[in-house]
Amino acid sequence: MQRYEYKVVPAPQKGTKAKGVKTAEGRFAATIEQVLNQLGQDGWEYQRAELLPSEERAGLTGSTVNWRNVLVFRRAIEAVEVAAPVLEGTPDETPVAQPVPGPEIVTAPEPISEEVKDPPLTLKDAKIEFRHSDKS
C-alpha cells in the first residue's frame, strides 16, 4: 500500500517583482509558480489550494476568525514491509485437540440441607397495631 506525507504552506498574498512581468496578476502568478517549482524539486507533488478558517486572538480576551489560503503538497514515503511471523513446524505437525472422556451417566447431586425454615427474625406471629392520630 502506498503511503504519503503531506506539507501545507501558506499561499503567497502578493506577487514579487520578476523580470519581464509588468502586471500585478502576472507577478502573483510568477510567485505561485516559484513556490510550486521549489517544492516540486524536493519531490513534493502539488495537490490543491484550500481556504481555511483560522481563529486568532484579538485584544486581551477576544478572538476573530481570519480565512487563510494554503497550498497542499504530498510525496510518497517508502513503504515499510512487515514480514509475517514464521511459525515453526508444518501444518501436519500441529496438535489437534482431543475430546476428554467423562462419566456416561450424569445425575443431580443430593440436597445439602433439610427443608428451608423461616428465618429467626420474622414478623409472622407478631401483632402490629397502627395508631392514627388526627391533628385537625
Side-chain angles (χ1 to χ4, degrees):
M1 180 174 135
Q2 185 65 49
R3 298 182 68 165
Y4 298 97
E5 64 178 328
Y6 291 87
K7 184 173 197 137
V8 179
V9 297
Q13 293 184 351
K14 64 179 186 174
T16 57
K17 291 182 180 179
K19 188 175 184 179
V21 181
K22 297 185 181 187
T23 64
E25 294 86 7
R27 287 191 294 271
F28 183 74
T31 304
I32 296 286
E33 185 178 326
Q34 284 179 337
V35 172
L36 294 175
N37 285 332
Q38 283 175 340
L39 290 168
Q41 287 175 353
D42 294 335
W44 294 100
E45 177 186 357
Y46 173 74
Q47 294 295 298
R48 66 185 168 275
E50 292 285 339
L51 178 64
L52 299 171
S54 172
E55 186 173 335
E56 299 172 6
R57 286 183 57 181
L60 294 174
T61 59
S63 66
T64 183
V65 174
N66 290 320
W67 291 86
R68 304 285 182 197
N69 287 303
V70 294
L71 304 175
V72 181
F73 296 85
R74 79 173 182 184
R75 69 178 169 190
I77 299 176
E78 290 183 26
V80 178
E81 292 187 28
V82 179
V86 178
L87 301 175
E88 294 183 21
T90 62
D92 297 340
E93 297 174 5
T94 305
V96 178
Q98 299 295 323
V100 177
E104 300 214 7
I105 299 175
V106 178
T107 57
E110 295 295 323
I112 297 174
S113 64
E114 302 174 8
E115 190 175 305
V116 179
K117 297 181 180 176
D118 289 334
L121 299 175
T122 63
L123 300 175
K124 188 176 184 180
D125 295 327
K127 292 183 180 178
I128 301 174
E129 293 182 26
F130 292 101
R131 294 184 184 177
H132 185 66
S133 60
D134 288 331
K135 294 183 179 180
S136 333

